[in-house]
Amino acid sequence: MDTSSKRALVTGGSGDIGGAICRRLAADGLHVIVHANGNLARAQGVVDDIVVAGGGAQAVAFDVADGEATRAALEALLEGGPIQVVVNNAGVHDDAPMAGMSGAQWRRVIDVSLHGFFHVTQPLLLPMARRRWGRIVSVSSVAAVTGNRGQSNYAAAKAALHGASKSLAREMASRGISVNVVAPGVIAGSMADAAFPAEVVKQIVPAARAGTPEEVAALVGFLCSDDAAYINGQVIGINGGMA
C-alpha cells in the first residue's frame, strides 16, 4: 500500500531514538507526527529537520500517562485524517534497586511505558481496522528480556509490552494490522553514553560497540512497511548479540 498518504505517530519522538525513527519514517514517505511529553520546541526541531529534507511532519505535546489528555489530543489529530502507523517509543528511567525504590518511582515508569501504550494505541485501533491496514511498533529494551540491576520498574514496564503486543497482534491480524516490539540493547545517545563508557560496552556487548539510533530506526521502518506484513506478534532484539 502506498505510504505517501499515511500518517505516523511517534511518541517520545524528540529523543535520540525517537528522532531517528521520525526521520526514517518521513524518508519512507509518511507524514510524521512527532510527539513530546512537554518539550514542544525539541519536537519542532525534529519536524524542521524532516521538512528541510523534503518530508512532511508536525509536532504535538501531551503526557501519554494522562489518559484523558491523550484521548483529547488524539481526537484532534484524527480530525486531520487517519493515523495508520503508531510507534510507542515514550519511556522514562528512574533507576534504583527495588529494596530502595519508592512507590512513586515504580508507578511513574510503568505509567509512561505501559499505561501510555494503552492510552495511545487503544483509541486508534478501530479507525485503523476500518481501513484494514496498520502498523503498531513498540520500543522495549534488552532489560525486559534479560533483566538489569536497578531497573525492575523499567524491565517490568517494557516486558509487559511484549505480552500486550502478542495478544493485540492476535486480535488485529485479520484486519491487515501488525503489532510488533523492538528491544534495543545499548544504543548510542545522551542516555546511554553516560551510563555505559566505551570500555564497559566492549565487556557487555559481543559486537563490542553501541548500536546507533539509525540502526533501530531502520528496523522500525522495515516493520512499518508492506514488506513486513507477515511479521506479527514478534519481539525483535537489536542488541549486538547481548541476548
Side-chain angles (χ1 to χ4, degrees):
M1 184 177 283
D2 178 27
T3 59
S4 60
S5 61
K6 289 192 176 61
R7 297 198 301 165
L9 170 62
V10 181
T11 68
S14 60
D16 293 323
I17 292 176
I21 292 170
C22 288
R23 287 186 280 269
R24 174 60 185 242
L25 294 179
D28 289 344
L30 290 124
H31 177 89
V32 181
I33 302 162
V34 183
H35 163 269
N37 176 46
N39 193 341
L40 192 61
R42 194 169 178 203
Q44 188 59 48
V46 176
V47 170
D48 293 344
D49 289 345
I50 290 171
V51 171
V52 166
Q58 67 192 94
V60 65
F62 56 88
D63 182 358
V64 298
D66 184 331
E68 289 186 14
T70 300
R71 186 170 288 274
L74 292 177
E75 286 175 356
L77 289 169
L78 286 169
E79 289 176 4
I83 296 171
Q84 284 175 273
V85 174
V86 182
V87 180
N88 291 292
N89 176 64
V92 294
H93 287 268
D94 198 346
D95 296 353
M98 186 183 270
M101 184 178 289
S102 70
Q105 284 177 297
W106 176 265
R107 285 188 294 271
R108 177 60 182 167
V109 170
I110 290 176
D111 277 348
V112 174
S113 281
L114 181 57
H115 298 156
F117 162 83
F118 177 81
H119 293 155
V120 170
T121 306
Q122 194 275 340
L124 301 177
L125 291 174
L126 290 181
M128 203 180 278
R130 283 194 286 271
R131 289 166 179 85
R132 305 192 75 80
W133 194 98
R135 297 288 184 268
I136 299 164
V137 179
S138 293
V139 179
S140 174
S141 167
V142 69
V145 179
T146 63
N148 196 28
R149 293 171 62 148
Q151 291 192 325
S152 59
N153 50 359
Y154 185 72
K158 293 301 191 181
L161 294 179
H162 301 182
S165 296
K166 287 172 182 285
S167 299
L168 184 59
R170 288 177 174 268
E171 294 171 1
M172 305 303 293
S174 66
R175 302 300 179 93
I177 296 167
S178 69
V179 188
N180 292 293
V181 178
V182 301
V186 180
I187 305 299
S190 55
M191 206 180 298
D193 293 348
F196 298 101
E199 60 272 18
V200 173
V201 171
K202 287 181 180 175
Q203 289 173 1
I204 65 174
V205 182
R209 69 171 178 89
T212 68
E214 289 73 26
E215 286 173 317
V216 178
L219 174 57
V220 173
F222 174 67
L223 290 173
C224 292
S225 72
D226 277 330
D227 287 340
Y230 206 57
I231 301 172
N232 210 345
Q234 302 304 302
V235 178
I236 302 173
I238 177 163
N239 57 49
M242 286 179 74

